[in-house]
Structures are given as structure tokens and as C-alpha cells.
Amino acid sequence: MRRRGVVLGLVGLSACSPADAPPAEARASPEAAERVVRDYYHAVEAGRMSEAAALREDGGVEDVAPFLSLLTEVARPRPATGDEPGWTYVRVPVAQTGRFVTGGDYRAAGTVTLRRTDRPGASAAQRRWRIHRIVVRASSSGGPPTG
């Protein structure tokens, strides 16, 4: 039986141990939000779903079962506005290409919106960037498997 795996490609991904953790100001930067998106897709690629889920506010992860291969490119973040005062938002553009297990091509693009807060009394978890919303729209041929 042929093993099916998902390959997610990320540019410039590097590990950072807690001892090497950047100061709070750097963790609050838009680049830190970009790193969260890269870390999320890296965790999904490695099958570490609980690690990926911890980077999202809703605790969800993307279903990669329909894919034989998937390449996710992460672009530079840009500031965004949000619905709630006291929260800082950033949008990170992503583009995906790949192949379905059924053989069709897959192409999608969208944005990953992250948010964090610096409100007085906010918890450490609220001060970290978390994936608030992922909106990726596919324009694919072949479609995901059915049945």
C-alpha cells in the first residue's frame, strides 16, 4: 500500500527554543504573527495536530486528508482592523498549490488573520498572536474526493 503524505512547503522556517525566545516587543511584531502562521502549517505538515490547534483561537486544524501534496507559501504580514477595541490584528497572505489524492490540481489563496492584545490585565495567552480566522478560497480542478 502506498503511503499518502502531505507536503507543506514553507519559506524560511527555523526553530526557536524557549531559551532563545525573543523579547516581548519582538513577540508582538507583525513578523511574529507571520511566524505563527509558518509554525501552524509546519505542525500540520508534521501531523502534530494538537500543536497546530494550540496556535488557533478556535482550536481547529485544516483537514489535509484530501491532498496528496500541498505547498503553502506565506507572505509578509500587513496590519488589519478588527471588530473589537483593545485587540491588534494582522493579516498574513497565503497561497496554496497541490494535488488531490484523486489526481486533480489544487490552487487557493487567501489570508490568515491573527490577533493579540496589550490591554492591562490581559493574560499571557491573550498577549500572544493567535490565528483568529483563516479564509482561503480554492480555484481548483479535479476536486476533493467524494464518498
Side-chain angles (χ1 to χ4, degrees), residues 3-85:
R3 183 174 173 199
R4 186 176 73 209
V6 175
V7 177
L8 297 173
L10 302 172
V11 180
L13 187 62
S14 64
C16 180
S17 71
D20 299 331
E25 305 81 45
R27 290 190 305 266
S29 72
E31 291 76 20
E34 177 185 347
R35 179 177 212 75
V36 169
V37 174
R38 291 178 187 279
D39 289 350
Y40 171 77
Y41 282 108
H42 184 68
V44 169
E45 167 194 350
R48 296 188 311 263
M49 297 310 184
S50 61
E51 184 181 320
L55 297 172
R56 292 180 62 149
E57 289 179 345
D58 65 4
V61 292
E62 294 180 58
D63 179 15
V64 293
F67 300 101
L68 177 63
S69 67
L70 185 66
L71 171 68
T72 300
E73 296 182 36
V74 178
R76 293 298 220 191
R78 53 184 187 245
T81 57
D83 315 42
E84 302 173 62

Side-chain angles (χ1 to χ4, degrees), residues 118-144:
D118 279 324
R119 292 181 296 182
S123 70
Q126 291 171 324
R127 292 179 187 275
R128 286 188 296 247
W129 287 111
R130 288 283 182 262
I131 295 173
H132 180 62
R133 183 178 310 126
I134 297 176
V135 178
V136 177
R137 302 215 190 294
S139 60
S140 60
S141 64

